[in-house]
Amino acid sequence: MGKKLFIKSYGCQMNVYDADRMADVLAPHGWTLTDAPDGADMVILNTCHIREKASEKVFSDLGRLRPLKQAREEAGERMILAVAGCTAQAEGAEIMVRAPIVDIVMGPQTYHRLPEMVARASRAAESKAGGKRKGVLDTEFPVEPKFDFLPEPVAKGPASFLSVQEGCDKFCTFCVVPYTRGAEYSRPVADVLSEARALVKGGAVEITLLGQNVNAYHGEAANGGEWGFGRLIRELAEIDGLERIRYTTSHPRDMDDDLIAAHRDVDKLMPFLHLPVQSGSDRILHLMNRQHKAEDYLRLVEKLRDARPDLALSSDFIVGFPGESERDFEDTLELVRRVGFVQAYSFKYSPRPGTPAAAMELQVPEEAKAERLAALQELLSEQTLAFNRACTGRVMDVLLDRHGKLDGQLLGRSPYMQPVHVQAPEALLGKLVRLRILDGHANSLSGEMAADLQQERALA
Ligand code: 5AD
Ligand code: SF4
């Protein structure tokens, strides 16, 4: 009989991809996904460690799962509880102690061994004589890349993720990623191409290439050489049926000329780029170990816009990094004004155990962080709204990949990543459709179908 699996992912898109792959690994062993933890035979919490708030969430979720697990056990059944992802990697042993109901703890690099871990956890539960429980902990960084052991993926809809790079060697002083995901690793070109072809065969129209530092990609090529990220994108663009390519997330230092040129040459590469800058102050950028100055970022944006004039930019910001003064923060606002972002994520600095910045002096008080965050977010929201409003009247190709909230409404993404809603027939779900934009809102656009536009797209 089939066993039911529930996976909850926190945090970034890499985790969403990993969750899909965990399901792929378990499928041949009789596990099928279910959309609620009630009645599940296994629950996996795929955690995020990037900020304290995200990391603590796992413990409150475990508290909520405890009665569910106990109820199953009282009924003579079993619920395996697994914690995966970056918090598992960083705090595996502590999770085992703090939450004895957890059966399996695994890091992001070991989930290809899930079937074996599940078997071990089941055996441990059966032989739990005298109540002494033995959980399975696997937070190694194995020498063999997990990708070599994962089955061929199944497209999860018209817009799919494909992980091409993992880990990070940059060691920004605030960030846990180099510790939780490990050293930088690029998948070989042939693997990436065959996974992309499989996704397109399964119905993917758009692929987002993922990596913690995706533009640092340098994968082994068939002839034994190495390909950079721009070269990889050009090759992916040759795949028939693949209409759109995106990638995330990038470091400004790794934006090389070939990748910039790909933004000019490759039509399938969408005109949207998430390029985290974190701060506009050179002093803070230095303390963060970002390895570039504000001017370097501005020059890079200029080069990118020369290559692709309609390129829409998004970014990440941290306010209240240790030592950040009002003046430093003003420099961040100034950079935002000079660039003009269409969208951005901004966070209060959160000290992470084991990272250099957590031990720095001059931690910024909470009130100053909150004030700066509010001021930055106000400016960023104004920029988003202005961009969305300026889209009114434009004609855009939108990939309709979801149902909207209203009856008969479909939702999709513009080339610039804006969510667009439109009244459209169900048959268009999963299709790229040419729309006229009627209005721009705070976080989305509304569009209309127009017969003349559909003919135009068909001829294009
Ligand atoms: N505190 C706050 N934000 C952080 N980020 C990474 N580490 C921290 C931290 N310690 C943010 C950065 C990064 C994004 C994924 O999360 O802006 O780009
Ligand atoms: Fe973290 Fe910096 Fe690496 Fe990004 S580049 S994952 S912020 S260490």
Side-chain angles (χ1 to χ4, degrees):
M1 213 190 65
K3 293 163 284 186
K4 287 194 212 149
L5 169 67
F6 174 71
I7 310 182
K8 175 172 175 180
S9 268
Y10 313 64
C12 68
Q13 284 155 335
M14 297 287 286
N15 265 12
V16 177
Y17 176 86
D18 287 344
D20 286 346
R21 306 313 319 273
M22 288 175 200
D24 291 342
V25 172
L26 289 167
H29 299 268
W31 293 92
T32 47
L33 279 173
T34 172
D35 52 14
D38 316 65
D41 300 288
M42 173 153 62
V43 172
I44 303 179
L45 300 179
N46 194 22
T47 60
C48 171
H49 198 54
I50 199 93
R51 283 169 294 276
E52 188 180 357
K53 235 188 188 155
S55 198
E56 278 299 309
K57 210 161 182 302
V58 63
F59 291 104
S60 52
D61 277 350
L62 284 171
R64 269 191 288 275
L65 287 168
R66 182 189 322 232
L68 280 185
K69 181 170 166 119
Q70 279 164 351
R72 297 284 313 250
E73 281 172 4
E74 277 156 22
E77 295 165 344
R78 187 180 304 151
M79 176 199 273
I80 298 175
L81 203 48
V83 181
C86 291
T87 307
Q89 184 66 43
E91 296 181 0
E94 191 191 334
I95 291 169
M96 287 288 198
V97 175
R98 254 178 93 177
I101 55 162
V102 172
D103 301 287
I104 297 173
V105 171
M106 66 191 135
Q109 305 307 349
T110 55
Y111 64 76
H112 54 296
R113 301 177 184 159
L114 248 173
E116 184 199 323
M117 289 186 236
V118 172
R120 271 169 57 204
S122 303
R123 279 199 302 275
E126 270 158 26
S127 64
K128 197 174 81 172
K132 188 88 189 109
R133 154 197 165 280
K134 225 171 145 253
V136 178
L137 176 72
D138 192 349
T139 49
E140 251 189 81
F141 286 116
V143 270
E144 81 277 2
K146 63 174 178 262
F147 296 105
D148 293 351
F149 298 85
L150 298 174
E152 190 160 277
V154 184
K156 301 289 187 303
S160 274
F161 292 136
L162 198 174
S163 179
V164 302
Q165 179 280 337
E166 257 199 282
C168 183
D169 293 342
K170 291 279 188 304
F171 290 93
C172 299
T173 54
F174 51 81
C175 186
V176 290
V177 166
Y179 313 96
T180 57
R181 291 267 170 177
E184 204 176 290
Y185 167 76
S186 295
R187 295 177 68 187
V189 170
D191 286 14
V192 174
L193 293 177
S194 81
E195 187 163 327
R197 286 191 195 103
L199 290 172
V200 171
K201 215 166 128 204
V205 179
E206 171 178 303
I207 291 181
T208 301
L209 305 170
L210 296 180
Q212 261 90 31
N213 215 180
V214 75
N215 60 339
Y217 178 88
H218 54 103
E220 186 189 322
N223 63 6
E226 254 185 16
W227 280 15
F229 198 51
R231 181 82 179 83
L232 181 73
I233 287 173
R234 286 171 206 271
E235 195 70 20
L236 285 164
E238 298 294 318
I239 298 176
D240 278 342
L242 178 59
E243 305 262 4
R244 290 177 152 193
I245 301 171
R246 301 181 185 278
Y247 63 91
T248 199
T249 191
S250 294
H251 194 292
R253 280 286 300 249
D254 294 313
M255 220 57 228
D256 65 19
D257 286 346
D258 188 43
L259 181 53
I260 295 171
H263 279 277
R264 184 191 58 221
D265 305 334
V266 181
D267 288 341
K268 291 182 181 182
L269 185 55
M270 289 293 98
F272 173 86
L273 177 61
H274 181 66
L275 193 61
V277 64
Q278 315 294 358
S279 168
S281 151
D282 287 345
R283 214 172 60 79
I284 297 299
L285 286 169
H286 178 71
L287 289 171
M288 288 176 162
N289 188 31
R290 292 290 292 180
Q291 304 167 37
H292 68 80
K293 299 198 162 150
E295 271 305 322
D296 300 323
Y297 188 86
L298 293 168
R299 251 196 314 273
L300 180 56
V301 166
E302 213 171 291
K303 270 170 113 176
L304 281 158
R305 284 183 170 152
D306 279 347
R308 179 83 203 220
D310 67 333
L311 187 75
L313 283 160
S314 153
S315 201
D316 287 342
F317 296 90
I318 296 179
V319 299
F321 184 83
E324 186 188 71
S325 64
E326 279 299 327
R327 174 81 202 276
D328 294 316
F329 177 63
E330 280 299 322
D331 288 345
T332 299
L333 294 178
E334 183 54 25
L335 180 136
V336 172
R337 285 187 206 104
R338 285 179 70 181
V339 174
F341 293 96
V342 302
Q343 185 215 297
Y345 302 95
S346 43
F347 313 99
K348 287 189 246 177
Y349 169 68
S350 166
R352 308 306 293 125
T355 57
M360 285 180 188
E361 288 173 10
L362 300 173
Q363 296 285 330
V364 173
E366 182 57 32
E367 310 84 77
K369 284 185 191 172
E371 264 174 36
R372 289 175 198 172
L373 187 67
L376 175 60
Q377 289 187 338
E378 193 183 322
L379 175 59
L380 290 165
S381 303
E382 276 169 20
Q383 294 192 339
T384 304
L385 182 62
F387 179 67
N388 288 350
R389 286 208 174 129
C391 291
T392 305
R394 284 181 65 176
V395 168
M396 291 184 190
D397 288 344
V398 174
L399 178 58
L400 297 172
D401 63 343
R402 277 160 294 163
H403 288 105
K405 283 205 189 97
L406 305 180
D407 237 12
Q409 193 186 55
L410 295 180
L411 197 61
R413 293 277 180 182
S414 78
Y416 311 105
M417 271 308 262
Q418 299 143 296
V420 188
H421 30 90
V422 60
Q423 290 293 324
E426 181 73 17
L428 291 179
L429 189 66
K431 300 273 188 308
L432 260 173
V433 174
R434 191 155 287 183
L435 301 182
R436 182 168 287 118
I437 303 304
L438 295 175
D439 209 352
H441 317 284
N443 293 306
S444 65
L445 305 176
S446 37
E448 69 168 355
M449 302 270 306
D452 55 322
L453 298 178
Q454 304 322 306
Q455 277 165 8
E456 185 186 306
R457 192 180 140 70
L459 294 173

